[in-house]
Amino acid sequence: MDASVRRRLDHRPYAAAVLLGLSLAALLLAGVLPSLRMALLLAAFACAFTGGSLALWRLRRETRERRSADRERRVAEARFGNIVEAAMDPIVTVDDAQRIVVFNGAAEQVFGHARTDVLGQPLDVLIPERFRDVHRAHVAKFGETGTTSRRMGASVLRALRSDGEEFPIEASISQHVDRGRRFYTAIVRDVTARVEAENALRRSKEEMQQLGAAANATREQEKSRIARELHDELGQLLTMLQMDVAWCKDRQPADDAAFAGKLDRMEALLRTTIAATRRISSDLRPLMLDDLGLVPSLEWLVENFAQRTGIVCDLTIAERDLALTKSHATAIFRIVQESLTNIAKHAKATHADIVVECDGDALVVRVDDDGVGFSAQSPRKPHSFGLFGLRERASLIGGTVAITSVPGEGTSVELRVPREALAERV
């Protein structure tokens, strides 16, 4: 029930008493019931006096209560004003016409406007022109939802200083109704320093990635050069030396067993040296990676790994015609190579599966083993960068590496490279 209606109902007993007194007085003046004239006169006076006194007392009490309520409201408004003024973040309140009605001291410092200049002005003075229509519609829609408060926007917003400079902000908005009018309050935070730090960090990360890519390319070029020199120059020299030993064996004295034994040992040592040179050259960089491409190189790598470790390996290549740049082919080969090396060192596995396939819009390379596995929550061992190196190599070609492992259930390493990244040269 409305308060004014309640007050009118509360006054009805007093009004009835006054009316009764006035009615009796009117009867007396009209000459009705002359025998009871004195009694009625006293009753009328008593009713009128009592009703008037009670009404006056009620009026005074309501006046005191209203004044007390006004004082309490002014104290509450002053307390709220002090809180708003002491807030470190800018606070801006607008009415239903989106005109500024509250603008605290922090807002003056951040936006550069004096309070007296913006009170009563449209909120547009604080918003870049290209965002004003969108912001106005956003506030209107927020008012229709009835939601008490929420964050404004899913990302950083843009605001406008008094000198025309735009700056990034984060803001939350709330609404309330006072005396039939709707008000919107925004608490704003200037995130210029944070955004600048994030941009600097992102630039630094991009520069580090570029530096890493350049260092990796240089390292691969150097490995390729050394591998080719080992294979071509040192390999040729060792082959010539082997031919000379064979020539000496053909012409050795028939009765000199010591000399023949020396030649046999030299020939065996040369065969071992030639094999070691080829192995070192291939470990540095398989020449077939440059000459024949990724698929034959992976086949050689897996076959060689199975022969050296005794671990049964299954290689499945769903799409053999892979159009890859040299940098992509090198990175994928190294990731598979490092994964197999980790299996040999740590997994204690008996079987490994290597799969190369296209999954939708991405090239997927997966290496699974049935080894002992490990806990993903375990801290990284000091000076151990194997898994970190896999992720870093993947990031250099625009891909990602997901490593899943459960103790006792083996490990899975999955490289995923989007097709659009495959078209770019790192």
Side-chain angles (χ1 to χ4, degrees):
M1 184 180 295
D2 186 78
S4 61
V5 176
R6 285 199 301 269
R7 284 196 297 271
R8 287 197 297 269
L9 292 177
D10 290 343
H11 290 159
R12 287 187 299 180
Y14 315 130
V18 173
L19 288 174
L20 179 58
L22 294 176
S23 298
L24 292 173
L27 290 173
L28 290 173
L29 293 174
V32 180
L33 302 177
S35 61
L36 299 177
R37 186 183 303 272
M38 183 58 67
L40 290 176
L41 182 60
L42 292 174
F45 176 77
C47 289
F49 179 78
T50 302
S53 298
L54 290 175
L56 183 59
W57 173 81
R58 177 73 179 192
L59 180 61
R60 289 178 177 176
R61 191 180 72 171
E62 288 184 354
T63 302
R64 287 195 301 269
E65 291 176 352
R66 188 161 50 250
R67 289 176 178 174
S68 177
D70 289 341
R71 284 195 299 271
E72 292 178 359
R73 188 180 69 254
R74 286 194 295 270
V75 170
E77 290 176 351
R79 186 182 300 113
F80 174 76
N82 291 335
I83 294 173
V84 170
E85 193 62 29
M88 298 182 65
D89 290 329
I91 298 178
V92 180
T93 299
V94 298
D95 58 16
D96 48 9
Q98 297 196 27
R99 293 188 177 276
I100 300 172
V101 296
V102 174
F103 198 76
N104 70 344
E108 289 184 303
Q109 296 178 2
V110 169
F111 288 94
H113 288 283
R115 186 176 323 179
T116 54
D117 294 337
V118 297
L119 289 179
Q121 296 297 316
L123 186 61
D124 290 350
V125 298
L126 308 180
I127 302 173
E129 184 175 359
R130 65 184 184 279
F131 298 124
R132 290 172 183 173
D133 292 338
V134 174
H135 184 272
R136 194 177 298 109
H138 173 80
V139 174
K141 185 177 180 180
F142 173 69
E144 295 173 356
T145 63
T147 305
T148 304
S149 63
R150 71 181 181 191
R151 181 177 176 180
M152 295 182 66
S155 60
V156 174
L157 307 175
R158 306 295 295 183
L160 190 67
R161 302 190 199 274
S162 59
D163 59 1
E165 177 193 0
E166 291 188 14
F167 66 102
I169 62 169
E170 286 182 348
S172 61
I173 185 173
S174 62
Q175 61 176 319
H176 70 281
V177 178
D178 184 17
R179 301 175 187 177
R181 298 185 62 191
R182 189 177 301 275
F183 295 89
Y184 304 93
T185 298
I187 301 178
V188 180
R189 177 160 295 177
D190 184 353
V191 293
T192 301
R194 193 193 74 192
V195 171
E196 289 178 350
E198 290 174 350
N199 291 337
L201 181 62
R202 183 171 57 254
R203 287 194 300 269
S204 176
K205 184 177 180 179
E206 292 173 353
E207 291 171 356
M208 290 298 295
Q209 286 183 336
Q210 293 173 0
L211 179 61
N216 184 67
T218 302
R219 183 167 58 248
E220 290 295 338
Q221 290 174 0
E222 188 66 12
K223 285 183 177 182
S224 179
R225 183 186 66 80
I226 295 174
R228 221 167 256 287
E229 288 183 357
L230 285 173
H231 180 272
D232 295 343
E233 297 186 18
L234 186 57
Q236 289 178 6
L237 293 176
L238 290 173
T239 301
M240 292 174 62
L241 187 57
Q242 190 178 34
M243 294 172 61
D244 290 342
V245 171
W247 184 86
C248 291
K249 289 185 69 175
D250 291 340
R251 290 165 176 76
Q252 65 179 343
D255 57 348
D256 194 342
F259 183 69
K262 174 67 73 175
L263 289 177
D264 289 339
R265 288 192 295 274
M266 289 178 63
E267 188 176 36
L269 182 60
L270 279 171
R271 285 198 297 268
T272 303
T273 304
I274 291 173
T277 301
R278 289 174 178 172
R279 177 180 56 80
I280 294 172
S281 175
S282 297
D283 288 344
L284 281 171
R285 182 176 178 85
L287 297 181
M288 67 175 62
L289 186 60
D290 296 325
D291 299 336
L292 302 178
L294 177 63
V295 173
S297 300
L298 289 178
E299 292 173 338
W300 167 84
L301 174 66
V302 172
E303 181 181 358
N304 184 264
F305 174 80
Q307 291 176 352
R308 287 190 294 109
T309 62
I311 298 174
V312 179
C313 296
D314 290 328
L315 173 63
T316 303
I317 301 179
E319 186 174 343
R320 301 184 65 87
D321 188 16
L322 296 174
L324 301 174
T325 64
K326 184 177 179 180
S327 57
H328 285 90
T330 300
I332 293 172
F333 178 85
R334 292 302 186 192
I335 288 174
V336 175
Q337 185 182 46
E338 183 65 27
S339 299
L340 294 176
T341 300
N342 289 336
I343 292 175
K345 286 183 178 180
H346 311 294
K348 300 179 183 179
T350 60
H351 187 272
D353 288 311
I354 301 92
V355 178
V356 180
E357 61 184 358
C358 290
D359 181 14
D361 59 351
L363 173 66
V364 177
V365 180
R366 188 168 55 254
V367 181
D368 301 328
D369 69 71
D370 62 352
V372 297
F374 62 93
S375 174
Q377 285 71 36
S378 300
R380 182 173 62 84
K381 296 179 180 179
H383 311 295
S384 177
F385 302 99
L387 300 182
F388 174 78
L390 296 179
R391 295 190 178 95
E392 185 63 21
R393 285 186 183 277
S395 68
L396 293 178
I397 59 174
T400 58
V401 166
I403 302 171
T404 56
S405 183
V406 177
E409 299 183 12
T411 301
S412 176
V413 177
E414 181 179 280
L415 166 68
R416 183 175 291 268
V417 186
R419 285 189 180 273
E420 57 267 21
L422 292 173
E424 299 175 0
R425 185 176 184 84
V426 179

